[in-house]
Amino acid sequence: MVQAEAHAALTGFLLRARAAGHAYVLVVTGKGGPGYSEAFAERGVLRRSVPHWLRGPDLRGIVLGFEEAARHHGGGGALYVRLRRR
């Protein structure tokens, strides 16, 4: 996904999760390993961007907080996201 698609997918996922009554979700960003085209691909874009999106004004009403996931859930390539109640 490009960043705009990923941002829209994340927003939709968080809205659906909150509507379903989930208090926490796991968001996997990946760690930003070697891409299929090193010449054109920036590494770890989503890993760096997702925390900014979660703090942004469009998700502030949905997200209470987040933290890096435990190693067995993805470690540095994943985040636990706590959702606000409906």
Side-chain angles (χ1 to χ4, degrees):
M1 288 186 199
V2 297
Q3 287 188 63
E5 292 171 330
H7 187 268
L10 176 64
T11 300
F13 169 68
L14 295 175
L15 287 169
R16 288 188 305 276
R18 186 174 79 162
H22 298 293
Y24 286 90
V25 294
L26 178 67
V27 174
V28 179
T29 63
K31 294 183 181 180
Y36 64 91
S37 176
E38 285 294 331
F40 301 103
E42 186 179 349
R43 294 179 60 181
V45 174
L46 294 181
R47 183 178 181 197
R48 287 191 315 275
S49 298
V50 168
H52 295 291
W53 298 343
L54 294 173
R55 288 187 203 102
D58 54 335
L59 294 178
R60 196 172 297 139
I62 302 168
V63 175
L64 271 176
F66 60 92
E67 62 184 317
E68 186 175 296
R71 185 175 180 162
H72 65 278
H73 285 149
L79 298 167
Y80 298 128
V81 179
R82 185 171 180 202
L83 303 175
R84 293 186 188 278
R85 292 184 181 180
R86 293 186 276 164

